[in-house]
Amino acid sequence: MYQSANLEFVVNQSIWFEGEAKFADVILPACTNFERVDISEWAGLGGYGHHGQQQLNHRVIVFQAPAIAPLGESKSDFWIFNEISKRLGLANYFSEGVNEIDWVKRLFEASDLRQRMSWKKFIRRGYFVVPAEKEKLRAPVSFRWFWENRKKDVPEAQPLPSDYTGEYLRGLQTQSGKLEFECNSLKRFNDPERPPIVKYEPSWEGPHSGERFVRYPLQMLTPHSKYSFHTQGDGKDSFLLNIEDHRVKVDGYYYWIVRMNVQDAAERGIKKHCSGQGPQRSRRRDLRRPCRPSGCRAASVTAMNPRRSTNPWASPGKSVDRGGCLNLLTPERSQTKSTHALAGANALVEIAPWDGRIEHIAAAFATTQPAPKAKRAPKIPPALVPAK
């Protein structure tokens, strides 16, 4: 979208100067949760899963008192939205005439937490451990309702009310009305790429890919790192950077590493923490990551921990990415022609010793669709332009 002339202006609201913040025309600097007041549930999944918590097996409601004042020119999300609303003449509708701490108190009073402790005690203590539910109030066991021929009584959001063909909450909404090991809808669809029984199907990029495999003989795997979780849990500028299995400092920059078979590395003249680059294909880009030869990797297999934030050396799309974003290496196609399933785990790559060039090398293989022509060059902050 950044290459389209239809995109006139980009506003980004971020805590760290990374990812898409670098391509914005205006950046609204948001402060962290350590610099603003809030109320939340410790380790809650935030809507990704029903009654889901990370790190804990119980619920804890916390009062987030700011540890420090917002650093620099950063502001809270509430302050930013309210200031924008003022300029639109809508501030009273947005804030309803109260400030952030008042909103926190509103949420407190809207819950049944106020029946357990007072507002003053809550902000003084800072947390409340939610007692375990009584057994008769706990969520029922999944599919017991189906076994006992009752209406569905578990809290999952699927299927939606409109998906029921008969009585609401009655029965499984499969075409057979039963648990299906062989999917009836896929049998009727009759798509050779989507068999009705789950089975192994070779990837379109692998040892059987002919000339493509000759030029790019390494199968890229993308296992999750044990030290970070996506961009939001990356531990920016923390002690995690000192863990060698996580990142390696090369020329003043902390790089994600790539692991490859010892023999594969030796054949390419790659030693420990040698900066590799690859692959070089149409509509895909070159990455720079230090390599770690490992006896734990099978031949022709390389493993790179996922990284979704880009950091182009110079012009985006035309230069090597040192942020290690693996989405730049994976194919853009779906798993099948009739679906929109992500195919991010299927990619052939090649790795070579770093030659010092920062421009993206032209690819030898074309994809099914031509690359779009750039109509609007994203603005590149001066900090990203390498010194001559």
Side-chain angles (χ1 to χ4, degrees):
M1 188 61 196
Y2 288 118
Q3 298 178 356
S4 172
N6 296 324
L7 185 64
E8 299 178 359
F9 196 77
V10 177
V11 178
N12 186 282
Q13 183 169 328
S14 298
I15 297 174
W16 292 280
F17 185 60
E18 65 171 15
E20 297 198 14
K22 299 173 181 177
F23 304 108
D25 297 293
V26 170
I27 300 175
L28 305 176
C31 65
T32 67
N33 59 315
F34 298 106
E35 302 164 89
R36 58 176 172 80
V37 66
D38 208 339
I39 183 173
S40 65
E41 183 169 348
W42 179 265
L45 295 179
Y48 284 103
H50 188 82
H51 291 318
Q53 284 78 35
Q54 295 174 325
Q55 308 169 23
L56 301 172
N57 60 358
H58 52 275
R59 301 178 64 191
V60 180
I61 311 302
V62 294
F63 173 73
Q64 295 179 211
I68 59 173
L71 295 176
E73 298 180 359
S74 65
K75 304 293 182 181
S76 69
D77 296 325
F78 180 89
W79 188 93
I80 292 174
F81 294 147
N82 196 48
E83 288 299 311
I84 293 175
S85 297
K86 283 182 182 179
R87 288 152 175 80
L88 298 174
L90 301 172
N92 289 336
Y93 291 99
F94 174 77
S95 68
E96 297 186 10
V98 299
N99 57 24
E100 291 179 78
I101 189 66
D102 292 328
W103 271 107
V104 173
K105 187 178 180 181
R106 279 190 177 189
L107 290 173
F108 172 86
E109 293 178 343
S111 70
D112 55 3
L113 181 56
R114 62 177 181 168
Q115 300 174 12
R116 305 300 183 100
M117 63 170 57
S118 66
W119 165 248
K120 289 185 178 181
K121 183 178 180 180
F122 176 62
I123 60 176
R124 183 171 59 251
R125 186 179 183 184
Y127 69 93
F128 175 75
V129 179
V130 180
E133 293 178 315
K134 295 180 180 180
E135 189 171 355
K136 64 179 181 179
L137 298 177
R138 296 176 187 175
V141 178
S142 295
F143 290 106
R144 179 170 290 176
W145 59 272
F146 179 67
W147 170 255
E148 296 177 354
N149 196 27
R150 297 183 287 105
K151 285 189 175 182
K152 181 181 177 182
D153 58 359
V154 290
E156 290 91 1
Q158 302 292 336
L160 297 175
S162 59
D163 294 331
Y164 283 88
T165 57
E167 186 180 2
Y168 179 56
L169 297 178
R170 175 72 68 179
L172 296 175
Q173 299 308 297
T174 60
Q175 291 189 354
S176 64
K178 303 177 181 178
L179 293 170
E180 294 185 352
F181 294 95
E182 186 179 34
C183 183
N184 276 279
S185 60
L186 287 180
K187 286 174 65 176
R188 297 180 181 183
F189 198 67
N190 194 26
D191 183 353
E193 290 189 299
R194 302 174 66 194
I197 297 178
V198 178
K199 64 179 181 179
Y200 171 75
E201 291 287 348
S203 167
W204 54 85
E205 291 195 12
H208 53 279
S209 298
E211 186 181 358
R212 185 184 295 268
F213 181 71
V214 173
R215 188 171 180 83
Y216 305 104
L218 299 176
Q219 188 83 47
M220 183 180 72
L221 301 182
T222 57
H224 273 287
S225 168
K226 66 178 70 174
Y227 304 110
S228 67
F229 182 73
H230 294 194
T231 304
Q232 65 203 41
D234 193 16
K236 315 289 189 304
D237 298 324
S238 71
F239 70 94
L240 293 177
L241 294 178
N242 300 321
I243 301 176
E244 197 175 81
D245 280 343
H246 180 43
R247 278 187 170 94
V248 172
K249 190 175 183 180
V250 178
D251 299 331
Y253 187 87
Y254 285 96
Y255 289 91
W256 286 66
I257 62 175
V258 52
R259 296 170 177 84
M260 60 188 307
N261 178 268
V262 174
Q263 184 61 35
D264 290 336
E267 292 174 356
R268 292 163 174 78
I270 294 176
K271 300 179 181 179
K272 183 178 180 181
H273 296 169
C274 166
S275 291
Q277 79 171 40
Q280 304 159 13
R281 277 188 287 190
S282 176
R283 302 191 69 184
R284 304 192 196 179
R285 297 294 175 251
D286 301 336
L287 303 185
R288 185 183 181 188
R289 281 193 178 199
C291 289
R292 174 78 54 79
S294 171
C296 298
R297 295 286 163 252
S300 301
V301 172
T302 180
M304 308 182 193
N305 296 134
R307 170 71 173 170
R308 290 163 177 80
S309 291
T310 65
N311 188 357
W313 214 294
S315 179
K318 297 181 181 179
S319 64
V320 173
D321 178 72
R322 60 178 180 171
C325 180
L326 299 188
N327 288 348
L328 298 177
L329 307 184
T330 54
E332 297 178 2
R333 60 166 289 176
S334 296
Q335 288 188 16
T336 68
K337 295 179 181 179
S338 60
T339 67
H340 297 285
L342 182 67
N346 302 287
L348 289 175
V349 301
E350 176 59 303
I351 299 176
W354 178 250
D355 59 6
R357 289 184 291 178
I358 64 171
E359 67 274 10
H360 170 59
I361 301 174
F365 292 101
T367 53
T368 55
Q369 297 179 351
K373 295 181 179 180
K375 297 182 179 179
R376 178 188 187 273
K379 296 181 179 180
I380 308 302
L384 294 183
V385 180
K388 295 183 179 179

